[in-house]
Amino acid sequence: MEFFEVVKGRRTTNGPFLPDAVLPEHQRTLVEAASMAPSHFNSQPWRFVLVDERAKIEEVAAISGQSMTRLMEEGTFWKRYRPYFRFSEREMAERGDGIFIDQMPAALKPFRKQLFSQAGQQIMNRLGVPKTLGEDNRKLVAGSPLLLAVLLDRNEYRPEALSGFYSVFGMGAAVENIWLATVELGMGIQFVSTPMEIPENWEKIKRLLDVPDGLALMAVYRLGYVPRDRKRPTIDWQSRQRKRLSQYVFRNSCSTPESDGASGERPV
Ligand SMILES: Cc1cc2nc3c(=O)[nH]c(=O)nc-3n(C[C@H](O)[C@H](O)[C@H](O)COP(=O)(O)O)c2cc1C
């Protein structure tokens, strides 16, 4: 594939993967692509755990689903992430960022705007939304043929030191290489982020992966091959929009936004 096609085709996969195992050579390609990323002094502070054992994937899935249900029921999710939600295509187009829940059961649509109020929270809990979302999440993770845990070497990842920042920077580059490689391989990837939001659940994941004291568990992803006919989860969001150049690029100083050009088109 053309490089820019790959960059433009990179996406977060919200839906299910095919059940097919990820070929060993593809797993190898992903982690080798990661290792090509830049790092401070070529320190390569990243470590990866490839998880393809069914029982382990299902344990992670159960923790992920429970975490999702709890975050939703307690309202933590909505409180923490309120600023990123958009409520219409128009709002997305104007701002060019954030996420828009464009797929939800008809019964919920009238409450879209109240999602973030206490009343909305109660309605959602009464309708069993947290359980639905938790179960959707569990199934998505359990149905993934491969999980990838990303870790950092604590000798480098010292949050109080500059090398802590550098390590995170390098890890981001390594993960982006993996993310781009998935496009070429016909695969998809998504963060399994809910356990990280509940410290005791994150500890459970660390124990499952035998993470030693010298490594910091930073993220877990689910990966697999993407089906041609993509089925979306019950409640789903989209985030294809991007800011216009004038919203994020400046010329010579932060006082002069870059022009959007004649068409005002977005870069991707
Ligand atoms: C640091 C970071 C955390 C993210 N957390 C999540 C997450 O918890 N769940 C998820 O589905 N996607 C997560 N994403 C993916 C973003 O939601 C996604 O990249 C963004 O909405 C743009 O969509 P796209 O990747 O399809 O272009 C995360 C991405 C980054 C870089």
Side-chain angles (χ1 to χ4, degrees):
M1 261 171 123
E2 276 284 320
F3 176 71
F4 285 107
E5 256 180 67
V6 171
V7 172
K8 288 181 185 178
R10 186 211 53 76
R11 287 268 92 78
T12 294
T13 307
N14 300 340
F17 297 126
L18 294 172
D20 314 32
V22 177
L23 294 172
E25 58 268 34
H26 286 177
Q27 297 189 28
R28 182 68 72 92
T29 302
L30 293 172
V31 287
E32 283 179 355
S35 81
M36 298 300 150
S39 58
H40 59 294
F41 295 97
N42 195 23
S43 54
Q44 303 168 53
W46 45 72
R47 303 288 181 271
F48 300 101
V49 185
L50 291 159
V51 183
D52 57 3
E53 245 177 55
R54 187 99 304 273
K56 204 158 270 197
I57 292 174
E58 284 183 12
E59 280 188 81
V60 173
I63 297 169
S64 181
Q66 282 160 16
S67 307
M68 172 73 93
T69 298
R70 194 170 134 193
L71 291 165
M72 296 281 162
E73 265 169 3
E74 293 175 355
T76 320
F77 179 88
W78 306 110
K79 271 191 221 112
R80 213 168 262 173
Y81 300 119
R82 165 74 187 87
Y84 305 107
F85 281 82
R86 308 287 169 257
F87 294 98
S88 64
E89 296 276 3
R90 214 177 108 209
E91 195 185 354
M92 285 282 306
E94 270 163 22
R95 298 200 43 151
D97 66 6
I99 71 168
F100 173 47
I101 302 181
D102 63 339
Q103 162 118 336
M104 58 166 72
L108 273 181
K109 281 200 175 138
F111 306 113
R112 199 185 326 241
K113 281 216 158 170
Q114 279 108 58
L115 281 179
F116 298 95
S117 67
Q118 205 161 11
Q121 178 72 56
Q122 282 165 0
I123 293 167
M124 281 195 297
N125 286 1
R126 258 206 318 278
L127 291 173
V129 174
K131 290 210 166 60
T132 306
L133 287 173
E135 181 53 14
D136 268 6
N137 180 265
R138 187 197 63 75
K139 279 196 216 143
L140 277 180
V141 179
S144 306
L146 185 68
L147 302 182
L148 177 79
V150 182
L151 307 97
L152 282 176
D153 178 350
R154 284 195 188 276
N155 287 321
E156 297 301 333
Y157 177 60
R158 284 170 287 127
E160 72 291 352
L162 207 46
S163 78
F165 166 71
Y166 290 156
S167 304
V168 173
F169 207 99
M171 176 185 73
V175 169
E176 176 69 354
N177 278 4
I178 292 177
W179 216 314
L180 292 173
T182 61
V183 183
E184 175 72 24
L185 300 175
M187 294 177 64
I189 178 167
Q190 187 183 27
F191 257 88
V192 179
S193 58
T194 54
M196 187 190 255
E197 310 231 5
I198 299 177
E200 64 265 31
N201 288 356
W202 199 230
E203 288 303 317
K204 286 184 198 164
I205 306 271
K206 284 190 206 167
R207 281 197 294 276
L208 268 175
L209 301 176
D210 286 332
V211 176
D213 290 344
L215 294 179
L217 179 64
M218 303 301 286
V220 175
Y221 291 86
R222 62 180 196 95
L223 296 100
Y225 297 106
V226 178
R228 280 192 181 282
D229 164 28
R230 295 188 191 197
K231 228 178 113 212
R232 304 187 75 189
T234 323
I235 299 181
D236 197 17
W237 44 273
Q238 52 112 335
S239 55
R240 281 182 172 273
Q241 287 75 3
R242 291 298 188 264
K243 293 179 193 292
R244 291 184 293 279
L245 285 183
S246 60
Q247 292 174 305
Y248 73 100
V249 182
F250 303 87
R251 180 70 61 176
N252 296 320
S253 85
C254 294
S255 326
T256 317
E258 180 76 341
S259 155
D260 286 325
S263 62
E265 271 177 16
R266 289 190 167 70
V268 263

Short mmCIF file of all heavy atoms in Angstrom, two decimals, residues 22 36 50 66 78 94 103 112 140-141 146 155 166 179 195-196 210 228 232 256 260:
data_model
loop_
_atom_site.label_atom_id
_atom_site.label_comp_id
_atom_site.label_asym_id
_atom_site.label_seq_id
_atom_site.Cartn_x
_atom_site.Cartn_y
_atom_site.Cartn_z
N VAL A 22 -4.10 -14.73 14.65
CA VAL A 22 -3.20 -13.83 13.91
C VAL A 22 -1.93 -14.63 13.57
O VAL A 22 -1.29 -15.20 14.46
CB VAL A 22 -2.86 -12.58 14.75
CG1 VAL A 22 -1.87 -11.69 13.99
CG2 VAL A 22 -4.14 -11.80 15.08
N MET A 36 11.27 -0.42 15.23
CA MET A 36 11.90 0.54 14.30
C MET A 36 11.67 1.99 14.74
O MET A 36 12.22 2.92 14.15
CB MET A 36 11.34 0.38 12.87
CG MET A 36 11.60 -0.97 12.25
SD MET A 36 13.37 -1.25 12.16
CE MET A 36 13.44 -3.02 12.29
N LEU A 50 2.69 -10.51 23.88
CA LEU A 50 1.69 -10.98 22.92
C LEU A 50 0.87 -12.06 23.63
O LEU A 50 1.44 -13.05 24.12
CB LEU A 50 2.38 -11.58 21.69
CG LEU A 50 3.13 -10.57 20.80
CD1 LEU A 50 4.18 -11.27 19.95
CD2 LEU A 50 2.13 -9.81 19.92
N GLN A 66 -16.32 -5.93 33.25
CA GLN A 66 -16.75 -5.50 34.60
C GLN A 66 -16.34 -4.05 34.84
O GLN A 66 -17.08 -3.28 35.43
CB GLN A 66 -16.03 -6.32 35.68
CG GLN A 66 -16.58 -7.70 35.92
CD GLN A 66 -15.51 -8.55 36.64
OE1 GLN A 66 -14.53 -8.02 37.18
NE2 GLN A 66 -15.70 -9.86 36.61
N TRP A 78 -18.62 9.17 32.37
CA TRP A 78 -19.24 10.37 31.81
C TRP A 78 -18.62 11.62 32.39
O TRP A 78 -18.42 12.62 31.69
CB TRP A 78 -20.76 10.36 32.06
CG TRP A 78 -21.39 9.10 31.55
CD1 TRP A 78 -21.92 8.09 32.30
CD2 TRP A 78 -21.56 8.71 30.17
NE1 TRP A 78 -22.38 7.10 31.47
CE2 TRP A 78 -22.18 7.44 30.17
CE3 TRP A 78 -21.24 9.29 28.94
CZ2 TRP A 78 -22.49 6.75 29.01
CZ3 TRP A 78 -21.54 8.60 27.78
CH2 TRP A 78 -22.16 7.36 27.81
N GLU A 94 -17.87 21.33 12.99
CA GLU A 94 -17.37 22.65 13.39
C GLU A 94 -16.08 22.53 14.21
O GLU A 94 -15.11 23.22 13.96
CB GLU A 94 -18.42 23.37 14.26
CG GLU A 94 -19.36 24.20 13.42
CD GLU A 94 -20.62 24.56 14.20
OE1 GLU A 94 -20.59 24.55 15.45
OE2 GLU A 94 -21.63 24.84 13.52
N GLN A 103 -24.43 5.68 17.09
CA GLN A 103 -25.15 4.40 17.05
C GLN A 103 -25.58 4.06 18.47
O GLN A 103 -24.75 3.88 19.36
CB GLN A 103 -24.21 3.32 16.50
CG GLN A 103 -24.66 1.91 16.81
CD GLN A 103 -24.96 1.12 15.55
OE1 GLN A 103 -25.26 1.69 14.50
NE2 GLN A 103 -24.90 -0.18 15.64
N ARG A 112 -29.95 11.44 24.56
CA ARG A 112 -28.55 11.65 24.18
C ARG A 112 -27.90 12.82 24.92
O ARG A 112 -26.85 12.71 25.48
CB ARG A 112 -28.47 11.88 22.67
CG ARG A 112 -27.08 11.63 22.17
CD ARG A 112 -26.80 11.92 20.71
NE ARG A 112 -27.79 11.70 19.72
CZ ARG A 112 -27.67 10.86 18.69
NH1 ARG A 112 -26.62 10.09 18.60
NH2 ARG A 112 -28.59 10.79 17.77
N LEU A 140 -16.32 -8.20 22.89
CA LEU A 140 -15.35 -7.70 21.91
C LEU A 140 -13.94 -8.16 22.25
O LEU A 140 -13.18 -8.61 21.40
CB LEU A 140 -15.35 -6.17 21.87
CG LEU A 140 -16.42 -5.49 21.02
CD1 LEU A 140 -16.27 -3.98 21.11
CD2 LEU A 140 -16.34 -5.93 19.56
N VAL A 141 -13.61 -8.06 23.54
CA VAL A 141 -12.25 -8.45 23.95
C VAL A 141 -12.10 -9.97 23.87
O VAL A 141 -11.12 -10.48 23.32
CB VAL A 141 -11.92 -7.91 25.37
CG1 VAL A 141 -10.52 -8.34 25.80
CG2 VAL A 141 -12.04 -6.38 25.41
N LEU A 146 -5.98 -11.85 19.56
CA LEU A 146 -4.67 -11.45 20.07
C LEU A 146 -4.80 -10.20 20.95
O LEU A 146 -5.51 -9.25 20.59
CB LEU A 146 -3.74 -11.11 18.89
CG LEU A 146 -2.29 -10.78 19.21
CD1 LEU A 146 -1.55 -12.02 19.74
CD2 LEU A 146 -1.56 -10.23 17.97
N ASN A 155 13.71 1.54 34.35
CA ASN A 155 14.99 2.26 34.40
C ASN A 155 14.89 3.54 33.58
O ASN A 155 15.57 4.53 33.87
CB ASN A 155 16.13 1.41 33.81
CG ASN A 155 16.49 0.30 34.76
OD1 ASN A 155 16.52 0.51 35.97
ND2 ASN A 155 16.73 -0.88 34.20
N TYR A 166 10.53 11.10 27.73
CA TYR A 166 11.09 10.56 26.49
C TYR A 166 10.58 9.14 26.23
O TYR A 166 10.29 8.77 25.09
CB TYR A 166 12.63 10.50 26.57
CG TYR A 166 13.32 11.84 26.55
CD1 TYR A 166 14.59 11.98 27.10
CD2 TYR A 166 12.73 12.95 25.96
CE1 TYR A 166 15.26 13.20 27.08
CE2 TYR A 166 13.40 14.17 25.94
CZ TYR A 166 14.65 14.29 26.50
OH TYR A 166 15.30 15.50 26.48
N TRP A 179 0.19 0.35 14.84
CA TRP A 179 -1.13 0.77 14.38
C TRP A 179 -1.14 0.87 12.85
O TRP A 179 -2.07 0.41 12.18
CB TRP A 179 -1.46 2.13 15.01
CG TRP A 179 -2.88 2.36 15.39
CD1 TRP A 179 -4.00 2.09 14.63
CD2 TRP A 179 -3.37 2.93 16.61
NE1 TRP A 179 -5.13 2.47 15.30
CE2 TRP A 179 -4.77 2.99 16.52
CE3 TRP A 179 -2.75 3.42 17.76
CZ2 TRP A 179 -5.58 3.51 17.54
CZ3 TRP A 179 -3.56 3.93 18.76
CH2 TRP A 179 -4.94 3.97 18.66
N PRO A 195 -9.89 -1.40 32.25
CA PRO A 195 -9.27 -1.89 33.49
C PRO A 195 -8.28 -0.88 34.07
O PRO A 195 -8.10 -0.79 35.29
CB PRO A 195 -8.54 -3.17 33.05
CG PRO A 195 -9.19 -3.58 31.79
CD PRO A 195 -9.63 -2.32 31.12
N MET A 196 -7.66 -0.10 33.19
CA MET A 196 -6.66 0.86 33.63
C MET A 196 -7.28 1.97 34.49
O MET A 196 -6.61 2.64 35.26
CB MET A 196 -6.09 1.47 32.35
CG MET A 196 -4.94 2.36 32.50
SD MET A 196 -4.71 3.13 30.90
CE MET A 196 -3.32 2.28 30.33
N ASP A 210 2.06 -11.44 34.82
CA ASP A 210 3.32 -11.58 35.57
C ASP A 210 4.25 -10.40 35.35
O ASP A 210 5.47 -10.59 35.11
CB ASP A 210 4.10 -12.83 35.10
CG ASP A 210 3.48 -14.11 35.59
OD1 ASP A 210 2.84 -14.05 36.65
OD2 ASP A 210 3.64 -15.14 34.91
N ARG A 228 -14.90 -8.19 6.43
CA ARG A 228 -15.34 -7.29 5.35
C ARG A 228 -16.63 -6.59 5.73
O ARG A 228 -16.82 -5.41 5.52
CB ARG A 228 -15.59 -8.10 4.07
CG ARG A 228 -14.31 -8.41 3.37
CD ARG A 228 -14.54 -8.96 1.98
NE ARG A 228 -13.25 -9.25 1.39
CZ ARG A 228 -12.44 -8.34 0.88
NH1 ARG A 228 -12.79 -7.08 0.83
NH2 ARG A 228 -11.26 -8.68 0.39
N ARG A 232 -21.36 -3.25 13.94
CA ARG A 232 -21.04 -2.30 15.00
C ARG A 232 -21.65 -2.72 16.33
O ARG A 232 -22.72 -3.32 16.37
CB ARG A 232 -21.56 -0.90 14.61
CG ARG A 232 -21.03 -0.42 13.28
CD ARG A 232 -21.44 1.00 13.02
NE ARG A 232 -20.65 1.93 13.82
CZ ARG A 232 -20.92 3.23 13.92
NH1 ARG A 232 -21.97 3.73 13.32
NH2 ARG A 232 -20.15 4.01 14.64
N THR A 256 -0.17 33.37 14.62
CA THR A 256 -0.64 33.35 13.22
C THR A 256 -1.08 31.95 12.80
O THR A 256 -0.24 31.11 12.43
CB THR A 256 0.51 33.81 12.27
OG1 THR A 256 1.14 34.93 12.86
CG2 THR A 256 -0.01 34.13 10.89
N ASP A 260 -6.21 27.81 5.86
CA ASP A 260 -6.79 26.52 5.46
C ASP A 260 -6.68 26.28 3.97
O ASP A 260 -7.03 25.20 3.48
CB ASP A 260 -8.27 26.48 5.84
CG ASP A 260 -8.44 26.30 7.34
OD1 ASP A 260 -7.61 25.61 7.94
OD2 ASP A 260 -9.39 26.87 7.89
#
